[in-house]
Each structure stands twice: as C-alpha cells, then as structure tokens.
Amino acid sequence: QQQVKQSPQSLIVQKGGISIINCAYENTAFDYFPWYQQFPGKGPALLIAIRPDVSEKKEGRFTISFNKSAKQFSLHIMDSQPGDSATYFCAASKGGSARQLTFGSGTQLTVLP
Amino acid sequence: GAVVSQHPSWVICKSGTSVKIECRSLDFQATTMFWYRQFPKQSLMLMATSNEGSKATYEQGVEKDKFLINHASLTLSTLTVTSAHPEDSSFYICSASGPLGNSPLHFGNGTRLTVT
C-alpha cells in the first residue's frame, strides 16, 4: 500500500514558469511533510518542510501548500530556473518525528532555458 | 549546518566479495541512522534503522545476514553488503538526524555499488 502518492512523474517547465508537484497521503497520523531535492548521483537534500498546524509555508521561491482535510500537500516553485532541474520527493512521517520518512515516488523536473 | 558524509561514493566489486559503506555525522551526534536503497529513477526504499549501541531494525524483505549494519558510535554507522551479487548493484544512501525527535533528517551523498 503506497502511503504517499506523488504526481506527476515528470514535469517540463519553461524558465520563469511555476512548477507544481502534488502529493496525497492516506495515513492521518502523519504530521510532518518535507520535500527533498535530489540531483543525479547525489543524496536527497531537504528543501522545505511543513507541519499540519499551518496551511502554507514559503521559503524564497519554494512554497508548500497543505490541505489537511483533503490529505494533500504540494510544492510550488516560482520563477523556475534551469538549476532547479532535479528529482523532487515528497515525504511524510508521524509522531512529530522527522526521522522515519515515507517517500513519494518522485517527480523529475526539467526547466528549459 | 549538519552534514552527513558517506564513503565511498562509488565502488566496483566482484561477485562473492563483501563491501563496507560508511556513514558519518560530521557535526552532530546521531543516535539513529537510516539506510536506504534506490534503484534508477525510483524512490528511496528504507532498508533498516540503525540505532547506536543496539541491533539494527530491518524492514520486511531485507536480509539482515546479507546487509550487516553496525552503529558502534554516535557518529558512525556502517553497512556491509556480504557476498555481493550483481542484483545487489544499486545506489545506497544513509541518513541521520540529531538527538531531538523533530530534528531534520540529513542524507549522505550515496554510494553507487556495482557488482560484476
């Protein structure tokens, strides 16, 4: 049973455009939702994270929108740049812990120059 | 910021040999480290949770005798792939977090293992 469903599998965006990646979860016990960015041959790097007490969190060009009732959260990348081209993973964990994460299947983002 | 170092970054070994991968937390003490396996264009699959000073907890379907984990100190965990076979070829990634339950998880840069 896939507990965190991520879409789309791949995304192509023009430079300056908005990239949107969506995730949906099933386990209502999840209470920590990070997004990771991974470049080829590298480990994932924490990009931004949110807890369910807020509906939105913004850090620079990256924004997480969180809808608790729909059990969905999304990553928005504003003014997308070619350097943002990478694979993005959403994840979720429970019990207030950021440790034992359940990952989404990943989205390969390509930003065209 | 917190850094997790993983070594080696890539290794090629012959079938039947064993390979050890190290994961170090450089500027924080990690009571818990995690080992993942990632196939090309796929997500990270949690293999095991490594606890300092105790036995690792393996996920269902992961052979503990094949993937030996040792977490002898608060800054070092090792994964040994024993009697490696070509099907063990993969990208192995470790992660670690600080002592607090809500400390963020930081990942190493991974180890590309190729078994010939």
Side-chain angles (χ1 to χ4, degrees):
Chain A
Q1 182 184 14
Q2 186 179 1
Q3 294 198 53
V4 180
K5 295 182 179 180
Q6 183 172 345
S7 63
Q9 188 175 16
S10 62
L11 178 63
I12 300 174
V13 174
Q14 292 286 343
K15 179 182 176 181
I18 302 174
S19 304
I20 301 175
I21 304 171
N22 301 298
C23 282
Y25 62 97
E26 299 168 5
N27 190 340
T28 55
F30 286 147
D31 57 8
Y32 175 72
F33 305 90
W35 284 90
Y36 283 85
Q37 179 189 56
Q38 185 179 29
F39 292 105
K42 300 293 184 182
L46 180 63
L47 198 59
I48 187 172
I50 198 169
R51 295 190 186 273
D53 52 343
V54 295
S55 60
E56 186 175 282
K57 183 175 181 180
K58 183 176 181 179
E59 290 184 2
R61 296 185 293 111
F62 301 93
T63 300
I64 298 179
S65 296
F66 182 78
N67 186 328
K68 188 174 181 179
S69 60
K71 294 188 286 186
Q72 295 176 348
F73 58 109
S74 60
L75 175 69
H76 295 233
I77 305 175
M78 311 299 287
D79 187 27
S80 299
Q81 300 296 312
D84 297 330
S85 298
T87 300
Y88 292 80
F89 292 96
C90 63
S93 66
K94 56 187 177 183
S97 172
R99 296 176 176 178
Q100 198 142 20
L101 297 172
T102 298
F103 283 89
S105 54
T107 296
Q108 189 166 356
L109 171 66
T110 302
V111 181
L112 301 176
Chain B
V3 177
V4 174
S5 175
Q6 193 170 337
H7 179 81
S9 56
W10 60 271
V11 57
I12 301 173
C13 71
K14 291 186 177 181
S15 186
T17 61
S18 295
V19 173
K20 180 184 286 187
I21 303 170
E22 294 186 348
C23 180
R24 296 180 184 272
S25 56
L26 297 184
D27 56 1
F28 65 97
Q29 293 185 333
T31 54
T32 304
M33 292 185 175
F34 300 90
W35 287 95
Y36 299 83
R37 184 172 180 176
Q38 186 178 33
F39 291 103
K41 298 187 184 298
Q42 294 191 24
S43 189
L44 286 78
M45 181 189 78
L46 180 65
M47 297 175 65
T49 302
S50 169
N51 299 295
E52 187 269 334
S54 64
K55 290 183 178 180
T57 304
Y58 291 82
E59 295 299 303
Q60 191 173 11
V62 178
E63 298 176 60
K64 62 180 181 181
D65 294 330
K66 180 164 190 61
F67 299 100
L68 299 179
I69 292 174
N70 183 279
H71 194 159
S73 77
L74 286 171
T75 60
L76 174 65
S77 176
T78 60
L79 169 68
T80 301
V81 183
T82 62
S83 186
H85 291 281
E87 57 265 30
D88 298 325
S89 298
S90 189
F91 194 53
Y92 293 88
I93 309 173
C94 71
S95 67
S97 66
L100 298 178
N102 59 359
S103 299
L105 198 62
H106 297 278
F107 286 81
N109 271 330
T111 296
R112 172 72 59 195
L113 170 63
T114 302
V115 184
T116 60

